Amino acid sequence: MARIVMKFGGTSVADLDRIRNVAARVKHEVDAGNEVAVVVSAMAGVTNRLVGWCQQLSPLHDAREYDTVVATGEQVTAGLTAIALQEIGVEARSWQGWQIPLRTDGAHGKARIDGIDGGELIRRMQIGQVPVVTGFQGIGPDNRVTTLGRGGSDTSAVALAAALKADRCDIYTDVDGIYTTDPRIVAKARKLDKIAYEEMLELASVGAKVLQTRSVELAMKERVRVQVLSSFDGANALGGDLPGTLVVDEDEIVEKEIVSGIAYSRDEAKITVRHVPDRPGVAAAIFGPLSEAGMNVDMIVQNVSADGSTDLTFTVGRTDLPRAKATLAEHRAKIGYAELLADTEVAKISVVGVGMRSHAGVANTMFAALASKGINILVISTSEIKVSVLIGAEYTELAVRALHTAYGLDAA
Amino acid sequence: MARIVMKFGGTSVADLDRIRNVAARVKHEVDAGNEVAVVVSAMAGVTNRLVGWCQQLSPLHDAREYDTVVATGEQVTAGLTAIALQEIGVEARSWQGWQIPLRTDGAHGKARIDGIDGGELIRRMQIGQVPVVTGFQGIGPDNRVTTLGRGGSDTSAVALAAALKADRCDIYTDVDGIYTTDPRIVAKARKLDKIAYEEMLELASVGAKVLQTRSVELAMKERVRVQVLSSFDGANALGGDLPGTLVVDEDEIVEKEIVSGIAYSRDEAKITVRHVPDRPGVAAAIFGPLSEAGMNVDMIVQNVSADGSTDLTFTVGRTDLPRAKATLAEHRAKIGYAELLADTEVAKISVVGVGMRSHAGVANTMFAALASKGINILVISTSEIKVSVLIGAEYTELAVRALHTAYGLDAA
């Protein structure tokens, strides 16, 4: 017997038939003797419609009213799911954020969870009742409904799992797990049985958008074991058991791969600031204004100085590029650069693995593999468990396939 | 300066443009120096869709979950209306039933209001904020959302007006007031400036479905002055003032008409039970089983006895007729009737007026007017402020027009 939080996203509850499937899946876990709590998102499309209404009425609408409107999506799904469960003989009741209560801070529209009183839900689960909890929402210090921001239902589920001391938090999605890389690019991509929190964070932030980054951070902090699995897979939908990928502490992973996955992102743009004076404070002069304007700078490389001047190259989110150029132009006199170059035809390729900590030569394998395919590296950045390179966007697929083979990740 | 509760139904908030119109209408009252609270229904069609989902998932669904799902309709409208008000410079915030709190009993799906804590709302109104309250919903003793049953938003508005000690409760509808009769039948029908609660109750129950009966009963009990007026009328929509009909205590009506209105209903069916033994207990034998089966019997007439047996004629709701016939057939042995006759081609015509209390001859005027048109009266029933007759359905329009003229109600 285990205590499990099961979370179903918008596409998994998109219509009444899918809600019935969700109920059948929950019943399967209940019948297996588990204590189960369910977290649901709004039916697919509903949140977008509600958000659209708020924006049409007022582009600068009151975030508290926005939350009042938007939180109804999850409330509907929670009630309907409870009805679907009762209909097939599973005792269930819906819980809204304010009823639990699931307390958040007062940052309406992007609130953070302060705490969940899990006592009553645990009592209900122990007598065989399934709580069906609205994801994405809570109650703020002002006694008003708050929402956690888009994708917040994953975070709700992980936080609830922590509060309920659950053995596992199962996140049902439209993929059946975490892969070594994008299977649409590499046919031999393998589903991972386990992945470490840190690896998942690096993968999430570079484009493998399966779990919300916040939910993974929270899982890592609270040591919640998260399983990513498919709600559409035949076996799971029909009550079978097709395991997904477990996101766990790296200590749980006995056979650590040096590299667990290859990620890519085409959402970057490269900026080169040419001929800036090579003196203390110039980096601050460049990155300070960008940071103040709310733009994240990712990879940074500074050329070796020549003649007292240097070039700085870095990446920003592609959608931020026009703003970044405008900001730098505005501060040109203070920075003192000769020329500004921008390139959007770039891609960031990252190899990720906690095994890197104890292995040298990981970056070298990457550089050699890319060189052998004639791919030029524009920028390099590294962290403890990740090596990222920026390359021409046209080489994305070629690079990902070459690296997948080079690190021995191809399925047999 | 007055304190006003303004209630807008589903068609008045059916889309964003109409919600903007509602906001403009509210701003008009605020700008005139009034303290205003708003009560809103769900956008037209939303409640039906939510109810349909619950029924499709389970015909015998949990009423508590039904309430959770269905109450979201008003929550969306309240939030959107608050945004629309803020957008045009009116300070506003939405309030859900549980936030006020608006307490109800635990009869989920058809709850009755137990009490409203109006203190915080009054404080907000006094500093110029407009509370936008979800109609139709409250919070039950189990700390769960309840709904008041279909059309409950009128009742919410009247109850709120009582709790806020409002000078008036304005119910915006798709008609511009209460008429002496149906203007589709009588072109010379006049809009009434004022009507007494008791008259409105009689009119509501015989087919003039402008206000929920429960809301009128509550208004009478709490002495809330209710105004029925049009949200679509050009003047009102644009911020002008086109008064509707005030529903008030009869003491407020100085020039009491003997008859205020003529109502009709084609939702009746007539049953005649022939040749029943004329002995004590026979009425109970007939009406007991009908009552137990949940059917309302309306007009009853018992013929003069002949040869120790008599005929009983009465009306039931037309949709109840098949069940009524089956119930009587089932109890035939005990009742001991010879024959059962049913007729659905009947209409009930009622003349209503508090002035009748002090005037004789009202019924006679009715009988004479109908006789002059050759209309046969099948059944008669009277109350203190109403005379009703059952006639052949084909004479409905003719009878209503004749009576409207006979009582001097025709517009000049």
Side-chain angles (χ1 to χ4, degrees), chain B residues 25 28-29 172 234-242:
Chain B
R25 180 73 207 153
H28 173 72
E29 295 289 8
Y172 285 82
N236 284 343
L238 296 171
D241 279 301
L242 190 82

Side-chain angles (χ1 to χ4, degrees), chain A residues 16 20 49 56-58 62 65 68 72 75-76 79-80 82-83 86-87 93-94 98-99 143-144, chain B residues 16 20 49 56-58 62 65 68 72 75-76 79-80 82-83 86-87 93-94 98-99 143-144:
Chain A
L16 299 185
R20 288 190 191 97
R49 187 172 68 234
Q56 285 173 58
L57 282 175
S58 172
D62 184 342
E65 301 302 347
T68 299
T72 59
Q75 186 174 332
V76 168
L80 293 178
I83 290 174
Q86 293 170 355
E87 180 69 6
R93 84 153 263 198
S94 65
W98 60 270
Q99 291 173 321
N143 207 32
R144 297 188 70 175
Chain B
L16 298 186
R20 288 190 190 98
R49 186 172 70 233
Q56 285 173 59
L57 282 176
S58 172
D62 183 342
E65 301 302 347
T68 299
T72 58
Q75 186 175 334
V76 168
L80 292 178
I83 290 174
Q86 293 172 355
E87 181 68 8
R93 85 153 263 198
S94 65
W98 60 269
Q99 290 175 321
N143 206 32
R144 297 187 69 175

Side-chain angles (χ1 to χ4, degrees), chain A residues 13-273:
Chain A
V13 293
D15 56 39
L16 299 185
D17 277 337
R18 291 191 184 174
I19 289 174
R20 288 190 191 97
N21 285 347
V22 162
R25 181 72 208 154
V26 171
K27 180 174 163 54
H28 172 71
E29 296 287 9
V30 170
D31 288 347
N34 297 307
E35 290 179 5
V36 177
V38 177
V39 175
V40 289
S41 300
M43 296 162 86
V46 167
T47 302
N48 283 343
R49 187 172 68 234
L50 296 170
V51 170
W53 284 345
C54 293
Q55 284 170 344
Q56 285 173 58
L57 282 175
S58 172
L60 297 170
H61 47 261
D62 184 342
R64 295 164 299 190
E65 301 302 347
Y66 166 95
D67 281 353
T68 299
V69 171
V70 172
T72 59
E74 282 69 23
Q75 186 174 332
V76 168
T77 318
L80 293 178
T81 304
I83 290 174
L85 281 166
Q86 293 170 355
E87 180 69 6
I88 56 171
V90 177
E91 206 188 321
R93 84 153 263 198
S94 65
W95 292 85
Q96 298 171 56
W98 60 270
Q99 291 173 321
I100 296 175
L102 186 156
R103 299 204 176 279
T104 73
D105 63 16
H108 282 277
K110 50 180 195 303
R112 299 188 71 89
I113 297 174
D114 278 345
I116 302 177
D117 186 346
E120 182 62 22
L121 297 193
I122 290 175
R123 277 188 288 279
R124 304 286 185 124
M125 291 167 78
Q126 284 171 340
I127 57 168
Q129 194 181 79
V130 174
V132 183
V133 176
T134 50
F136 178 62
Q137 57 157 266
I139 181 166
D142 54 357
N143 207 32
R144 297 188 70 175
V145 174
T146 52
T147 66
L148 308 182
R150 299 307 294 267
S153 288
D154 287 350
T155 309
S156 298
V158 170
L160 190 69
L164 299 180
K165 301 174 183 62
D167 298 291
R168 209 171 69 230
C169 180
D170 286 351
I171 310 272
Y172 285 82
T173 67
D174 48 5
V175 297
D176 63 353
I178 311 296
Y179 278 73
T180 48
T181 193
D182 187 340
R184 290 170 300 180
I185 291 182
V186 181
K188 290 184 170 179
R190 284 187 294 113
K191 190 171 75 179
L192 294 163
D193 294 334
K194 291 186 179 176
I195 187 170
Y197 297 121
E198 291 90 337
E199 291 171 333
M200 190 67 214
L201 278 176
E202 294 288 3
L203 289 173
S205 66
V206 290
K209 299 182 179 85
V210 176
L211 287 179
Q212 273 291 108
T213 303
R214 271 169 71 189
S215 68
V216 181
E217 286 169 351
L218 186 64
M220 181 161 76
K221 177 167 166 276
E222 301 282 349
R223 301 288 133 176
V224 173
R225 301 172 79 240
V226 173
Q227 185 177 208
V228 175
L229 67 179
S230 168
S231 49
F232 296 115
D233 180 270
N236 284 343
L238 296 171
D241 278 303
L242 191 82
T245 299
L246 270 174
V247 188
V248 293
D249 193 280
E250 65 180 273
D251 292 345
E252 264 200 62
I253 303 174
V254 182
E255 290 285 337
K256 291 183 184 64
E257 306 274 359
I258 299 169
V259 167
S260 295
I262 319 284
Y264 67 94
S265 162
R266 293 192 181 101
D267 299 330
E268 320 279 320
K270 183 181 70 139
I271 298 178
T272 301
V273 187

Side-chain angles (χ1 to χ4, degrees), chain B residues 325-363:
Chain B
K325 284 163 75 174
T327 303
L328 292 172
E330 194 187 322
H331 292 79
R332 179 168 187 169
K334 198 171 159 202
I335 304 169
Y337 60 83
E339 195 183 6
L340 206 61
L341 302 174
D343 187 358
T344 57
E345 291 304 306
V346 294
K348 183 167 77 166
I349 314 291
S350 305
V351 301
V352 173
V354 287
M356 282 186 206
R357 290 206 181 98
S358 49
H359 274 79
V362 174

